[in-house]
Amino acid sequence: MFQQIWWLDPELTYGNAKPFVFTQGHSVCNRSFFPCFDTPAVKCTYSATVKAPAGIQVLMSATQSTYSEQEGVYQFYMEYPVPAYLVALVAGDLIPADIGPRSRVWAEPCLLPAAISKLSGMVERWLSAAESLYGPYIWGRYDIVFLPPSFPIVAMENPCLTFIISSILESDEFLIIDVIHEVAHSWFGNAVTNATWEEMWLSEGLATYAQRRITTETYGAAFTCLETAFRLDALHRQMKLLGEDNPVSKLQVKLEPGVNPSNLMNLFTYEKGYCFVHYLSQLCGDPKHFDSFLRAYIEKYKFTSVVAQDLLDSFLNFFPELKEQCVERKEEAVPKSQASCRDSCSTFLMLLVPGLEFERWLNATGPPLAEPDLSQGSSLTRPVETLYSLWTTEPLDAVAAASSVDITKWRTFQTVLFLDRLLDGSPLPHEVIKKLSESYSSQLDSMNAEIRIRWLQIVVRNDYYPDLYKVRCFLENQRSRMYTIPLYEDLCTGTLKSFALEVFYQTQNQLHPNLRKTIQQILSQGLNPLPTIDATAVATDTPAMVLEDKASEATNGAISLRDVNVSA
């Protein structure tokens, strides 16, 4: 049985004051929470009654709620039909703060000021931009709850109540993108849902496209192109490691019986799906015309579940000039005896018409057939490419490289793009890693965790011992799998496994039993099995970990959570 309900002792929370519980239903975990048809093809309304001790705040992904303090009973009701995986509950030491006319944040008391400062006024800005593109926000409130570091993924788009891991709070640009992605799911994924897990791109690809339309409206095209370049870099990294013939690179993936659908979640679901949706927007000639189509698509299918054919049929019907092209070309290509089926055989038309290539997009393995033009981001990406070239061109002129740009003035996505490319080139010549450390290590120490973990992975992959103490300090202060697993994987694929064992045994008690077990499995590779440290550790991996384990099996640990922004 897949684990759905996560019970945390107080010491696994930030405040260390009260116990905490949350659920994570995606993809098929809610069957262990309540009896249900655990498939995205089935939607229904729901109500729930929850009794909790005094001082414990209970929240659910519902449009209505009441609380009887005398009885300690919460009542919840979701008035719109949703698939089972979007039913969610969280309870703990949570307090609220309004950040907009229809939004509030919930967090442990020690985290609330940071959440307010990062998001006050911002969510309404993003919701308004999304509404201008795709029509009214139909869920009423858009609240956010920040969860302890044990939350197994980055974010989850539960309607009315987005779940986000608190660890991401310090990384402003990642926080912005993650929240906007979940906002986009309010239309693509929640209102209109993929009917089968084999077509998750219908939610994730469309949500990623909508996310980037929202960021373009609110932050400009250059920022959107930078973030897209960063993600597509990660996609090609995964493609190189998994191989172009790997079936998981298809948009329509075959789900074998008994396989957790979360195994199918990867960068292709998001980024290849995004590239296909962007391709559709280019076929119609104008992104604003495509926005109009998506508004009509949402209006037609809201509160239902769809397959790819529904989207593509609607697309051709909305743009009759494309459909007419299909008819004309098909009449040239097939005998008249077959022409009578053309109006009802959209798939047949797609297969025959040169240039549309829908069938290849959906069922071919490998990279996207086309990628967006990111030249509008060149003012942000070109400095990254120049700096990387300076550091990797022989003979090295470290003084010139280090003085060419002040990376402390860069955006986070510029810095992580630069570090990711250094990671891809590791191991680097010793002189290069030594000069990189002398030039940047102290500056990177004061930057956010998304940046620091990448530098520390470079340290580990290059066996650079002078900075190894920073790896220890980082792991001693991190309890999230997104910031621990990648380092332990890298430590265990190189010569530093004994160092990894030492750090783990010193820090294991601050980790959730599931994370502890996962790290034990990483450390056990190639060794005698480690002793079981906590008998309560749950054997079944969470969706995020299933993805990461699968990637690790395929690549010997070369892909980590840093490569797959595991937000549902």
Side-chain angles (χ1 to χ4, degrees), residues 153-157 178 181-182 185 204 265 270 565-568:
I153 60 176
V154 177
M156 181 63 205
E157 68 272 16
D178 289 330
H181 184 83
E182 306 314 318
H185 268 308
E204 297 302 345
M265 286 191 74
Y270 294 80
N565 183 24
V566 191
S567 53

Side-chain angles (χ1 to χ4, degrees), residues 288-308:
K288 293 190 180 299
H289 290 166
F290 192 65
D291 294 337
S292 298
F293 158 66
L294 290 177
R295 278 197 299 272
Y297 166 77
I298 291 292
E299 185 59 33
K300 179 178 180 179
Y301 290 111
K302 67 181 177 184
F303 306 132
T304 67
S305 300
V306 300
V307 295

